[in-house]
Amino acid sequence: MSDAALVYVRHQDKEQNYLQAGHTLGSWLTSTDHKRIGILYALAITFFFFIGGIAVGLVRIELMSPNGDFLTDDAYNRLFTLHGIVMVWFFLVPSIPATLGNFLLPMMIGAKDVAFPKINLLSWYIFIVGACFAVVSIVAGGVDTGWTFYTPFSTMFSNGDVIAAAAGVFIVGFSSIATGVNFITTVHMLRAPGMTWFRLPLFVWAIYATSVVMVLATPVLAMSLLLIIAERWLGMPIFNPANGGDPILFQHLFWFYSHPAVYIMVLPAMGVVSEIFACFARRRVFGYAMMVYAMMSIAVIGFFVWGHHMFVSGQSQYANFVFSFLSFIVAVPSAIKVFNWTATLFRGQITFEAPMLYALGFLGLFTIGGLTGLFLASVPIDVHVTDTYFVVAHFHYIMVGGSVSAFFAGLHFWWPKITGRLYSEAWARFAAIVMFLGFNTTFMPQFIMGYAGMPRRYHVYPPEFQIWHVMSSVGALVLFVAYTLPLIYLTWSLFYGKKAGDNPWAATGLEWQTASPPPKHNFAELPHVKAPPYRYHPDRQAPEAEDRKPETQQGAM
Amino acid sequence: MTGAFPATASAYAGEWDRFFFMLTAISGLIVLAIFIVIVGFSIRYRRGSKAKRGMLPGAITNEIELGWTSATAIVFVFLFWWAAVDQLKNVVPPGHALEIHVLAKQWMWKVQQPNGVREIDELHAPVGRPVRLIMTSQDVIHSLFLPALRLKQDVLPGRYTYLWFTADKPGVYHLLCSEFCGTEHSRMTGRLVLMTAADYARWSAAQPGAEDLAADGEKLFRSLGCSGCHAPQSSVHAPDLNNVYGHKVQLSDGRSIVADEAYLRDSILLPQKDVVAGFDPIMPSFRGIVGDGDMVKLIAYLKSLASKRERP
Amino acid sequence: MSEVSPVVHEPWPSFERQKMAVSFGMWVFIASEVLFFSGLLLAYTIYRHLDAEAFKIASRETEVFYGGTNTAILLTSSLTMAMAVHASDHGFRRMTIRCLAATVAFGLAFLVMKGFEYHSDLDKGLWPGPGFPLHPATTQLFWAFYWIATGVHAVHLSVGIGIVSTIAVRLKRGTLLVKASTFEGAALYWHLVDTIWIILLPMIYLVGRA
């Protein structure tokens, strides 16, 4: 074996990079290039992130005082609903898979594009159509059912624009399904020669697991929403108790999707941080096989725990017992992953660039969020804290502290590859730290309030909770700053950032073995894979500080 | 009250707090341990540090993984067992609970005491004896949340749900709706007023509108025509309603169930649902005729027909 | 007859791989469709279990003539679709076009029959809401299920008709080659629509009609 010399397969070809291949708006809107589609998605979700953020900004301003002096009851209810619907379906669910996944998946497996490039573009258009319905619903005054659309309030009592909102989410679901079908087929059918399943980067496994969940869970949401629309628009009595209908049936159908949905939102994040820990600790991910099994177990077991959202709904105690047990079980693979990521740091050569700071933030915040999940899995505990701010804090620790941190981590890690530019490391590190502090200030008080009995979705509240609400709102302001900073310095870097080389991080992975930005067809010649991923150091030898030149998966030429 | 520590109005709430804080302590230790390791590794193994790298432990890797996987699984299953035992202990209320009816509607709580006294947005109850709430909603799903008791239960339209407790500390506590129910959801709050048994007895006797629910129910039973079929001298073959409540009923599809409030309510509103064995399904439905208020009275009357039942 | 080499699209390295992928992708999509209908079938099953008698009363108003005829039509259309795939595999272009056209014709016939059936149902007032002719009230749940299930099925069938006619036209015009990877995928979708109908048939028409 050579002395671990740099083995880049440089693709110094005359081919333009994907950004140069067509400069018109039309070339972007009709492109079937997975890289461009990833960017189209990135623009769309960034827009919705700020819409959802403004909505909750107004909510948090209102909540600084216990009385409803800033917003009316109805306006408040519509704003928190808007926040939930937009953040879940128009930001989090597509975020990592449709942006980073689209951009990187084919490159990571050594393919020229996804399996069905035209369907990929179609999925973006479907997203936009669904988004239009959502915008229509917002402009028409909004919806106040909460993102959960519980019946019979949503079908028979709400006077918001439930049909438009439900239709928007219904349509956007098909975008998810199309993406899922595409990614699953891509991973099965387009791996480069030598890229066996257990040589895949963990990000690819994560996207694959996510896609399986998207394909199997999202249709059930679609049916739930269709039934609501049928009841509200056509008068079909499905959940109306006067006709023998059961409102709890809606909850079962809704949560059968919405619990796996949270794994759709967190599995890709796990994939991202796996790549980042390996690169910035210069170590192979500890326990690669277990990491794969853990992700697949989470995807599977995640389908059988939905009833833990319904412990006080009136379902039987036997059901509560079973769902509680399975919910404790599903926590085990997540815990394993936390241990393995921590162990990946052991005897590494760790550096703390922005992606690593975000990834470390993910690790801590996901651990806290996950442990509070154990509280909620216990039926007696849940009976008190469900529908309070305890639950709100729990899921924000995972979705925001976890998934959004990981999204930023990935965005910064692959920014040089996607844009060919380096961002300002000083500003990025500053933003990462501000985000971590702002996040904890916002959400830690919410655990306390929830335990103390502060219900969620409350516009006015008993005055003893004010101190916690004020703390939380101050934190939200800090978070707003932390999210705006990257918007500024990343955009700045597009025009004035230093040009990035092919592999500024000296990372392994096929995507780094091609130019930054990549050529339109990703590789001049398809790679032939000869080795497992994360070859940051020889087999049993921990990396030394000077080793910044990893061996690639293609091995020695 | 700073608002960090809610009131504790029952022994159960006290136990609940102990379990919660035990979980918090365990979680805190785990978080601390993981943070120390992460920060420790980050400092010790930062690039260029003097710490030894060298050979990576190989052979023990599998054992480490197996070890912490099993340990985690065992701890989690233990926590589940602890929680489940707690859950199952409290499923069945003790007998002779004081029964209070709760009707939720947008956006108020209507409570009816056993002696017929009505309250709005207030629930008076005695300490020291089991209290059972029988709840339903007139419109959407609401949820009755009593933080001082660490209890909550969704309240559904078309169905009864139940909540029981034994409180021990008199006082005034929050009563909140905790399932989003529309515009004034956050204003659908009230007071849980816990009183000593003596105070409660004095209070309920002194309220205007104290009714005899069972007597009213008997009047309804006749005026609505129920006695036309169910009275012993009727020519129509209908089940005898003495000794129904609380007893086993054999149904025509082979099942046998114990007649509770839900069964009585369903028999009046959805009589085709659970037909008694040996009888034809000819009873008409009283949906739209018997409202929730009348239902409470009829059920009180039917309960009074069950043997050896003492009136409060 | 001339052997035209099949078109290989980006990013596929070979036609065989592409063909496999189209079928694979369609199977994955079919999995999502199964889950889509499962939610509805679950709701039906639960409600039927809760009030079997009402479901029998409600189902008696469905018309077995339409149900039976439509089943025969759809099954036959699956036959012609399968024939189309076989023909395309062997390179018989005209036969493929004819079989696809027959499939479309049967599909349209199904929708026409469905239209007559809907008309008849509406004449009998079987749209859930005030003034519904049947008792008890839970019969409306059956009929709600009927309209939603057959409606969603009809939408799927229409999409299928659209797909099959499009590929038939493109085959005729020569923009699609007879040995393309598209046919098997389209056939899988068509058979899915047929299978859903077979499942709906007893649930709608045969309750209490043993």
Side-chain angles (χ1 to χ4, degrees):
Chain A
M1 199 194 316
S2 69
D3 56 359
L6 174 61
V7 182
Y8 276 134
V9 183
R10 297 265 329 206
H11 297 283
Q12 196 71 358
D13 42 29
K14 301 286 178 289
E15 190 182 357
Q16 300 169 307
N17 72 48
Y18 77 101
L19 291 168
Q20 296 164 326
H23 288 278
T24 62
L25 185 62
S27 72
W28 277 88
L29 293 177
T30 55
S31 168
T32 56
D33 180 353
H34 65 100
K35 302 182 285 297
R36 287 198 168 196
I37 295 174
I39 293 183
L40 289 177
Y41 267 108
L43 294 169
I45 64 162
T46 305
F47 171 74
F48 277 104
F49 182 67
F50 282 96
I51 300 283
I54 290 169
V56 80
L58 294 170
V59 164
R60 284 255 49 105
I61 291 174
E62 172 67 280
L63 289 174
M64 290 187 62
S65 100
N67 311 309
D69 16 40
F70 175 52
L71 298 167
T72 63
D73 283 344
D74 270 333
Y76 178 88
N77 294 339
R78 284 154 201 237
L79 282 170
F80 77 67
T81 301
L82 174 65
H83 172 71
I85 291 179
V86 164
M87 287 309 205
V88 169
W89 284 302
F90 294 92
F91 172 66
L92 271 172
V93 164
S95 63
I96 296 175
T99 59
L100 296 173
N102 251 321
F103 197 97
L104 297 164
L105 184 67
M107 285 169 44
M108 283 182 167
I109 64 174
K112 286 192 195 163
D113 207 316
V114 291
F116 308 115
K118 290 195 207 130
I119 292 187
N120 205 6
L121 182 64
L122 180 67
S123 82
W124 185 77
Y125 278 103
I126 295 175
F127 181 87
I128 295 298
V129 170
C132 288
F133 271 84
V135 170
V136 160
S137 162
I138 296 170
V139 164
V143 116
D144 64 345
T145 58
W147 78 282
T148 46
F149 289 108
Y150 272 19
T151 60
F153 180 75
S154 60
T155 46
M156 290 164 43
F157 291 85
S158 168
N159 49 20
D161 209 340
V162 176
I163 293 176
V169 175
F170 178 85
I171 292 170
V172 121
F174 289 103
S175 173
S176 250
I177 293 173
T179 301
V181 171
N182 224 335
F183 284 173
I184 292 173
T185 312
T186 305
V187 176
H188 274 268
M189 297 280 163
L190 276 170
R191 283 166 289 123
M195 180 61 90
T196 59
W197 282 91
F198 277 80
R199 286 179 178 172
L200 288 170
L202 288 171
F203 180 73
V204 175
W205 274 108
I207 296 292
Y208 179 75
T210 305
S211 301
V212 172
V213 180
M214 284 203 283
V215 163
L216 296 178
T218 315
V220 182
L221 174 75
M223 183 49 74
S224 318
L225 295 171
L226 189 69
L227 293 176
I228 291 192
I229 294 175
E231 183 154 355
R232 197 169 162 92
W233 189 29
L234 304 174
M236 297 283 170
I238 319 275
F239 304 114
N240 182 355
N243 289 92
D246 190 350
I248 310 294
L249 180 62
F250 174 78
Q251 293 181 33
H252 280 292
L253 290 173
F254 178 82
W255 288 112
F256 186 83
Y257 160 78
S258 295
H259 189 81
V262 315
Y263 296 116
I264 292 176
M265 296 185 264
V266 93
L267 283 167
M270 294 174 160
V272 168
V273 301
S274 296
E275 301 297 315
I276 290 174
F277 282 129
C279 178
F280 290 91
R282 315 305 295 171
R283 281 283 329 271
R284 302 196 189 168
V285 176
F286 183 85
Y288 171 92
M290 275 301 253
M291 292 293 251
V292 170
Y293 297 134
M295 283 196 287
M296 298 308 291
S297 319
I298 291 170
V300 171
I301 304 176
F303 272 96
F304 298 105
V305 300
W306 79 89
H308 66 225
H309 299 271
M310 296 167 60
F311 283 151
V312 296
S313 65
Q315 76 180 359
S316 82
Q317 289 297 327
Y318 300 112
N320 283 358
F321 186 85
V322 170
F323 282 120
S324 171
F325 177 72
L326 290 169
S327 303
F328 275 95
I329 296 300
V330 83
V332 175
S334 292
I336 304 305
K337 293 184 79 70
V338 168
F339 301 151
N340 283 21
W341 284 314
T342 308
T344 303
L345 301 174
F346 182 65
R347 294 204 181 152
Q349 292 285 350
I350 306 173
T351 54
F352 298 94
E353 287 89 338
M356 186 58 159
L357 291 181
Y358 278 115
L360 288 168
F362 166 93
L363 194 53
L365 300 174
F366 175 78
T367 302
I368 294 176
L371 283 166
T372 54
L374 294 179
F375 285 72
L376 295 167
S378 330
V379 175
I381 301 284
D382 187 75
V383 166
H384 176 59
V385 296
T386 193
D387 258 301
T388 67
Y389 266 78
F390 191 93
V391 179
V392 176
H394 160 73
F395 65 69
H396 281 91
Y397 261 83
I398 309 217
M399 296 292 116
V400 180
S403 298
V404 175
S405 291
F407 177 67
F408 277 93
L411 193 62
H412 286 75
F413 184 53
W414 282 294
W415 187 260
K417 176 56 55 183
I418 296 171
T419 62
R421 302 281 183 152
L422 296 173
Y423 58 81
S424 156
E425 191 58 51
W427 277 108
R429 284 172 170 173
F430 176 65
I433 294 172
V434 171
M435 196 182 92
F436 186 81
L437 296 172
F439 177 85
N440 281 303
T441 313
T442 309
F443 292 104
M444 189 53 80
Q446 296 188 1
F447 281 124
I448 301 174
M449 296 201 246
Y451 159 69
M454 170 74 207
R456 42 184 302 203
R457 298 171 168 173
Y458 260 42
H459 177 209
V460 302
Y461 57 83
E464 66 260 33
F465 298 113
Q466 182 171 24
I467 172 73
W468 309 112
H469 274 295
V470 169
M471 258 195 250
S472 191
S473 295
V474 166
L477 181 62
V478 174
L479 267 185
F480 173 74
V481 169
Y483 290 139
T484 313
L485 282 172
L487 194 63
I488 300 173
Y489 66 72
L490 287 176
T491 310
W492 186 92
S493 80
L494 287 176
F495 302 103
Y496 306 111
K498 218 161 61 160
K499 285 231 162 72
D502 290 2
N503 193 352
W505 310 118
T508 64
L510 294 177
E511 76 273 23
W512 297 105
Q513 312 314 318
T514 186
S516 300
K520 183 156 189 262
H521 292 106
N522 298 342
F523 304 99
E525 46 185 81
L526 286 185
H528 188 109
V529 174
K530 295 186 177 75
Y534 312 124
R535 311 276 288 168
Y536 288 102
H537 53 88
D539 242 334
R540 295 275 308 283
Q541 187 92 23
E544 293 307 321
E546 306 73 42
D547 286 347
R548 290 303 282 192
K549 300 167 185 181
E551 217 177 279
T552 70
Q553 281 191 270
Q554 291 168 267
M557 283 214 290
Chain B
M1 262 297 138
T2 62
F5 292 98
T8 311
S10 67
Y12 174 77
E15 281 165 31
W16 190 99
D17 274 359
R18 273 193 290 284
F19 185 24
F20 181 81
F21 285 114
M22 176 63 74
L23 265 182
T24 308
I26 294 175
S27 306
L29 283 172
I30 295 175
V31 167
L32 197 63
I34 292 182
F35 271 36
I36 288 176
V37 174
I38 292 174
V39 171
F41 281 179
S42 300
I43 296 174
R44 190 174 158 78
Y45 297 113
R46 69 194 182 283
R47 168 145 167 238
S49 75
K50 304 271 192 315
K52 179 173 89 91
R53 276 24 173 231
M55 294 300 288
L56 293 168
I60 60 171
T61 304
N62 285 346
E63 278 133 29
I64 291 180
E65 291 209 72
L66 201 59
W68 66 38
T69 307
S70 321
T72 308
I74 289 170
V75 169
F76 286 6
V77 171
F78 168 73
L79 290 173
F80 162 73
W81 168 83
W82 192 356
V85 163
D86 212 27
Q87 172 206 349
L88 295 174
K89 232 174 21 183
N90 291 301
V91 166
V92 182
H96 298 298
L98 183 75
E99 287 172 355
I100 301 178
H101 281 261
V102 176
L103 178 70
K105 72 183 279 289
Q106 287 174 323
W107 287 281
M108 65 174 79
W109 297 96
K110 291 166 143 178
V111 174
Q112 187 157 41
Q113 299 284 341
N115 68 348
V117 171
R118 291 170 192 276
E119 316 184 66
I120 295 211
D121 289 340
E122 293 213 342
L123 174 63
H124 281 73
V127 301
R129 66 177 286 200
V131 174
R132 186 163 162 259
L133 304 178
I134 300 160
M135 312 188 285
T136 188
S137 161
Q138 213 170 285
D139 38 42
V140 297
I141 300 179
H142 300 272
S143 189
L144 184 70
F145 181 26
L146 302 168
L149 301 174
R150 311 289 186 274
L151 294 174
K152 150 188 312 116
Q153 175 60 51
D154 280 7
V155 178
L156 309 172
R159 242 187 81 176
Y160 280 142
T161 53
Y162 308 95
L163 189 63
W164 79 269
F165 59 85
T166 305
D168 58 16
K169 206 159 129 218
V172 178
Y173 306 98
H174 284 303
L175 181 150
L176 307 161
C177 178
S178 60
E179 182 59 58
F180 183 74
C181 53
T183 309
E184 291 188 36
H185 166 62
S186 47
R187 301 181 197 272
M188 192 168 156
T189 58
R191 305 183 333 146
L192 169 68
V193 182
L194 295 173
M195 316 168 99
T196 62
D199 284 343
Y200 173 76
R202 256 198 301 277
W203 171 85
S204 78
Q207 294 307 302
E211 306 157 2
D212 188 337
L213 284 177
D216 279 349
E218 187 174 3
K219 292 197 202 106
L220 276 174
F221 190 79
R222 282 177 222 296
S223 67
L224 290 172
C226 317
S227 51
C229 295
H230 286 285
Q233 58 271 34
S234 157
S235 55
V236 177
H237 185 48
D240 178 13
L241 297 180
N242 290 302
N243 293 326
V244 172
Y245 178 76
H247 291 89
K248 254 201 159 113
V249 180
Q250 191 75 33
L251 299 178
S252 58
D253 59 8
R255 285 180 297 138
S256 82
I257 53 158
V258 175
D260 59 2
E261 288 86 357
Y263 170 75
L264 294 176
R265 180 196 167 95
D266 280 347
S267 300
I268 297 171
L269 300 180
L270 295 168
Q272 317 293 330
K273 188 164 172 255
D274 290 324
V275 180
V276 181
F279 292 89
D280 292 323
I282 54 172
M283 175 171 165
S285 163
F286 284 80
R287 181 176 289 288
I289 303 170
V290 172
D292 285 301
D294 287 345
M295 182 64 71
V296 169
K297 293 173 185 164
L298 282 169
I299 290 180
Y301 170 60
L302 291 169
K303 282 183 182 175
S304 73
L305 295 179
S307 59
K308 302 290 182 293
R309 193 169 162 75
E310 287 180 356
R311 307 256 202 95
Chain C
M1 127 191 101
S2 60
E3 269 296 317
V4 183
S5 42
V7 176
V8 182
H9 295 286
E10 278 258 322
W12 298 102
S14 74
F15 179 69
E16 285 68 40
R17 203 87 181 148
Q18 176 182 300
K19 194 156 188 284
M20 244 195 320
V22 169
S23 298
F24 181 86
M26 184 51 78
W27 277 110
V28 176
F29 178 67
I30 287 175
S32 81
E33 290 279 23
V34 169
L35 267 293
F36 182 62
F37 279 91
S38 295
L40 192 58
L41 303 186
L42 179 78
Y44 169 96
T45 307
I46 289 173
Y47 285 146
R48 178 166 161 181
H49 175 78
L50 288 177
D51 198 344
E53 201 47 52
F55 268 54
K56 283 196 198 134
I57 295 170
S59 168
R60 252 173 245 145
E61 303 302 316
T62 59
E63 297 181 52
V64 181
F65 166 71
Y66 287 112
T69 314
N70 266 346
T71 307
I73 291 174
L74 211 54
L75 282 174
T76 313
S77 77
S78 262
L79 170 67
T80 53
M81 191 70 203
M83 285 164 64
V85 173
H86 268 281
S88 103
D89 278 343
H90 289 289
F92 299 146
R93 193 170 151 269
R94 263 190 315 218
M95 189 54 162
T96 309
I97 296 173
R98 283 185 198 137
C99 289
L100 291 174
T103 308
V104 169
F106 282 121
L108 290 170
F110 180 101
L111 289 178
V112 166
M113 291 294 276
K114 203 81 201 127
F116 284 122
E117 186 182 6
Y118 278 172
H119 186 86
S120 166
D121 293 326
L122 288 172
D123 264 349
K124 291 195 278 187
L126 289 165
W127 183 268
F132 191 75
L134 302 175
H135 295 99
T138 30
T139 49
Q140 294 191 42
L141 285 175
F142 172 90
W143 279 92
F145 170 79
Y146 168 85
W147 290 106
I148 294 174
T150 57
V152 171
H153 176 262
V155 167
H156 280 80
L157 180 62
S158 308
V159 167
I161 292 173
I163 292 174
V164 175
S165 26
T166 306
I167 59 181
V169 163
R170 291 179 67 202
L171 186 56
K172 190 140 180 23
R173 289 209 188 126
T175 44
L176 188 62
L177 296 178
V178 69
K179 287 215 177 178
S181 45
T182 325
F183 298 102
E184 189 167 327
L188 280 171
Y189 179 79
W190 192 268
H191 294 318
L192 168 73
V193 174
D194 192 12
T195 308
I196 292 168
W197 178 257
I198 303 294
I199 294 174
L200 290 180
L201 171 71
M203 296 173 86
I204 293 175
Y205 297 95
L206 303 180
V207 182
R209 273 190 173 129

